[in-house]
Amino acid sequence: MKTLIAQAAEPSLWSPEWLPLLPKRLVENLLEHFNAPGWLVSIGGIAAGAATVLAVFMTAFALLSLIERKTLARAQNRIGPNRAGPFGILQPVADGIKMLTKEDIVPAKAEKLLHLLAPILIVIPAIMALGVLPYGREWTPVPLELGLLFFFALGALTEVSVFIAGWASGSKFPMLGAMRAISQMVSYELPLVLSAIAVIMVSGTLSLPEIVAHQGGYHLGFLPAWHILTPWGLVGGLVFFIASIGEANRCPFDLPEGESEIVAGHMTEYSGFKYALFFMGEYLGLFAISGLGVTLFLGGWQAPFPGLGFVPSWIWFFAKLAAVIFLFLWIRATFPRLRMDQLMRFGWLALIPMSLLTIPAAGIWTLLHRAGHGLIAWVVTIALLVVPFVIMTVLFNRGLARSNRTYRFAES
Amino acid sequence: MTALLILSPLIMLAALGAVWKARPVHAGLLLALTLSLAGMLYIALGAEFLGLVQFMVYVGAVAVLIVFALLITRPRDEIEEIARRPKSVGPGLLCTLPLLATLLYTVDRTLPEAPPGTADLPVRRIGELLFTTHAPAVLAVAILLTAVMLGAALFAREPSKKP
């Protein structure tokens, strides 16, 4: 059975489409060559596959930490890191050495075990989430049937570990940061999941590779059938990406770590390698959630134009991922940090209603398309989304104009 | 079966710890551990959908909110709680043992009679069942939860100051 599948689907060991799977297959072939038992072969294959994903994203993490500083520097008319190596390219290495050689401080009032556990618990779900994304036509490290649900279940673990980090530090800034982080993550997870529900309804599956496969093909011969190019998908995708910035605690939603307000939030009492783990968990989580957004709304590994099929599909995935992350950097360079009440109001009064609207829109879209009324589907869903949006915007602005911010706790 | 044998003692230990720990936050975190271990047990027994939903709802929302609420309680309650504990063991056992016996009896009697073909239920089928056959029950639970939420909001609201 296994060899049958392998023969049917393996054109060549060295074809670019299969390149990311090369380590896995090399290890498997090597073990089989030495007549290793079947379980050892499968374990070796899994380990090599996981190592490939980890190697890719660790490199991406190191590069992103440099690119982020460079981009922000250019946005602020500076040069950015330029001392370590040409164009500062060795800056991540220098940062890594600095982090590893720093003293590991555990506060006297901290809960020792939980203080140690928190950074580990924050990295594990981020890495696990990277395992279920479909990176290419042939490259899904763990093709789960319930991949999407698995992804969101892992998000739950992140919340717990942020709380543990904040509480176990035994100090007030981490506690405040954790409280902010949890209220933000709980509020911004809702629009995230709700906008994903529209995608589940239309594609009729929870499996991420199948959701990508559903976005294959082109409308009118040139317009890719990605979900973001439909009315409900545009709204859902925008809500998803905004909420994912909130979920990843990035600027302008970086209140849990607002340096000018609460030092570094739940990471205040961490130093050395544990701090590096938090940093890594945050970036891997950012990759994971942007990768999920690319998968759900931007067509995953599908090529943007017909006739580009000769490019390996995983290149498209990483190009889209890079574009999304660059957008996040751009947003970080542009917007100032929100206030806590603004953040909550935006989440509950703007993102959640819009994401709720995408659900009936997706339902109507599917039913009308099934009945063969494609044009009517466009008109109805656009009307269903735009009219409430305009009404909401008017009400929102009026409410903002009238409300006079009172500092309830600062005054008394 | 191996998963059941490994996980169920762990679940029980975590649950006991959740009841026994002196500091409420520890108890809350152990409750989260209990719930996530139960989720893992579901996954190991083949109920992936249930297990993942357990993670998402119970660990991600319920346990976090419980821990969060515990933070706001005053430490004084904690000390009283510790002082009260030894006296509460007897009545507690008295209440729980009959319940446990009843549960064991019922589970033991009904378990072999589970209808065939329910072992491997695809998610699509679960969804269809929930939103067709059991739709009234789902709606009733939804209304109940909304009512609970409104009630909680009413309780949590600050009492308006009288002039």
Side-chain angles (χ1 to χ4, degrees):
Chain A
M1 180 69 191
K2 202 182 164 193
T3 48
L4 258 179
I5 294 172
Q7 275 168 7
E10 278 187 39
S12 145
L13 197 67
W14 298 100
S15 88
E17 186 63 55
W18 287 82
L19 195 63
L21 291 174
L22 194 63
K24 182 182 177 190
R25 286 157 72 205
L26 280 181
V27 168
E28 278 175 354
N29 287 356
L30 200 69
L31 286 172
E32 268 168 9
H33 182 73
F34 289 111
N35 290 324
W39 57 269
L40 193 62
V41 174
S42 59
I43 285 180
I46 291 169
T52 320
V53 175
L54 265 185
V56 167
F57 280 101
M58 287 301 165
T59 318
F61 159 57
L63 280 178
L64 181 60
S65 67
L66 174 67
I67 292 170
E68 174 157 26
R69 289 174 67 180
K70 278 282 188 190
T71 316
L72 285 180
R74 292 316 303 172
Q76 295 156 0
N77 218 355
R78 295 183 285 120
I79 296 175
N82 64 346
R83 290 291 173 227
F87 308 107
I89 201 117
L90 293 177
Q91 190 63 40
V93 182
D95 281 344
I97 293 171
K98 185 193 81 172
M99 287 285 188
L100 282 174
T101 50
K102 273 200 167 180
E103 187 190 355
D104 177 34
I105 299 167
V106 182
K109 275 192 175 178
E111 298 266 333
K112 301 280 179 302
L113 179 67
L114 291 177
H115 188 265
L116 171 70
L117 216 57
I120 301 169
L121 279 180
I122 226 159
V123 171
I124 290 175
I127 293 176
M128 281 170 80
L130 287 171
V132 294
L133 295 176
Y135 299 111
R137 191 177 288 120
E138 314 292 349
W139 186 21
T140 308
V142 190
L144 282 185
E145 195 201 339
L146 299 173
L148 192 54
L149 203 61
F150 179 79
F151 195 99
F152 286 128
L154 288 172
L157 283 181
T158 317
E159 283 163 30
V160 176
S161 38
V162 166
F163 171 79
I164 293 177
W167 186 74
S169 295
S171 141
K172 62 188 168 196
F173 286 128
M175 199 60 252
L176 285 173
M179 288 177 97
R180 282 181 173 194
I182 290 173
S183 47
Q184 177 176 334
M185 282 164 127
V186 168
S187 317
Y188 277 64
E189 199 168 10
L190 271 176
L192 210 63
V193 176
L194 286 174
S195 52
I197 282 178
V199 176
I200 300 171
M201 281 171 67
V202 170
S203 50
T205 176
L206 281 165
S207 147
L208 294 172
E210 281 177 36
I211 288 175
V212 177
H214 185 261
Q215 298 175 70
Y218 300 91
H219 294 307
L220 309 174
F222 69 96
L223 202 64
W226 300 349
H227 288 147
I228 201 148
L229 296 175
T230 59
W232 61 268
L234 181 64
V235 174
L238 286 178
V239 167
F240 187 93
F241 283 114
I242 295 172
S244 65
I245 302 176
E247 194 74 1
N249 292 342
R250 287 184 63 82
C251 201
F253 303 129
D254 62 344
L255 290 103
E257 298 151 25
E259 295 87 352
S260 53
E261 297 161 22
I262 48 173
V263 193
H266 56 275
M267 303 186 283
T268 307
E269 300 288 357
Y270 284 92
S271 60
F273 193 57
K274 288 181 190 159
Y275 183 82
L277 278 181
F278 271 109
F279 202 62
M280 189 157 72
E282 205 156 275
Y283 275 84
L284 292 183
L286 177 71
F287 285 131
I289 204 133
S290 334
L292 186 70
V294 168
T295 305
L296 291 181
F297 293 102
L298 293 177
W301 43 261
Q302 308 274 6
F305 299 107
L308 286 171
F310 61 91
V311 181
S313 54
W314 44 271
I315 287 187
W316 291 122
F317 181 90
F318 285 105
K320 289 173 191 174
L321 186 65
V324 168
I325 285 178
F326 179 73
L327 191 69
F328 285 175
L329 296 186
W330 194 356
I331 288 172
R332 179 176 171 186
T334 309
F335 290 102
R337 187 181 301 133
L338 292 182
R339 221 167 44 204
M340 200 67 201
D341 62 316
Q342 291 170 331
L343 175 95
M344 284 297 152
R345 190 181 294 161
F346 182 62
W348 286 92
L349 297 185
L351 289 182
I352 291 182
M354 282 322 284
S355 60
L356 277 174
L357 275 176
T358 59
I359 295 174
I364 291 169
W365 174 268
T366 317
L367 285 180
L368 283 176
H369 264 274
R370 236 178 249 165
H373 304 296
L375 203 66
I376 305 176
W378 275 89
V379 175
V380 171
T381 41
I382 288 177
L384 186 68
L385 292 164
V386 169
V387 173
F389 177 73
V390 171
I391 296 173
M392 258 168 46
T393 316
V394 170
L395 288 178
F396 201 65
N397 286 342
R398 204 179 282 165
L400 275 188
R402 213 187 293 137
S403 74
N404 203 352
R405 171 76 181 151
T406 51
Y407 291 88
R408 190 149 51 104
F409 296 107
E411 276 167 4
S412 55
Chain B
M1 198 62 203
T2 335
L4 186 69
L5 286 180
I6 296 170
L7 280 172
S8 49
L10 286 178
I11 293 175
M12 279 202 220
L13 279 180
L16 277 178
V19 180
W20 210 250
K21 271 286 184 184
R23 302 190 72 166
V25 175
H26 282 162
L29 286 175
L30 276 167
L31 178 68
L33 181 66
T34 314
L35 292 169
S36 51
L37 282 173
M40 281 181 208
L41 183 62
Y42 294 154
I43 294 173
L45 293 178
E48 284 100 0
F49 182 76
L50 191 62
L52 291 176
V53 169
Q54 164 99 1
F55 260 98
M56 221 172 117
V57 175
Y58 282 94
V59 183
V62 174
V64 166
L65 285 183
I66 287 175
V67 170
F68 207 61
L70 283 174
L71 274 180
I72 310 166
T73 54
R74 292 151 299 172
R76 194 163 51 82
D77 303 345
E78 234 172 85
I79 298 158
E80 279 175 17
E81 176 62 35
I82 295 165
R84 206 164 48 217
R85 180 157 299 137
K87 291 178 202 157
S88 59
V89 173
L93 281 179
L94 214 65
C95 293
T96 45
L97 281 182
L99 184 69
L100 190 67
T102 324
L103 262 177
L104 278 178
Y105 181 69
T106 0
V107 168
D108 190 46
R109 280 195 47 172
T110 50
L111 208 56
E113 293 165 18
T118 45
D120 191 28
L121 209 58
V123 182
R124 183 178 289 275
R125 186 87 189 95
I126 295 176
E128 279 168 11
L129 278 177
L130 276 180
F131 289 102
T132 53
T133 323
H134 301 295
V138 171
L139 284 178
V141 170
I143 292 169
L144 184 71
L145 285 179
T146 315
V148 168
M149 205 181 73
L150 287 178
L154 266 180
F155 273 117
R157 203 181 56 170
E158 282 177 31
S160 52
K161 284 174 196 162
K162 281 177 185 168

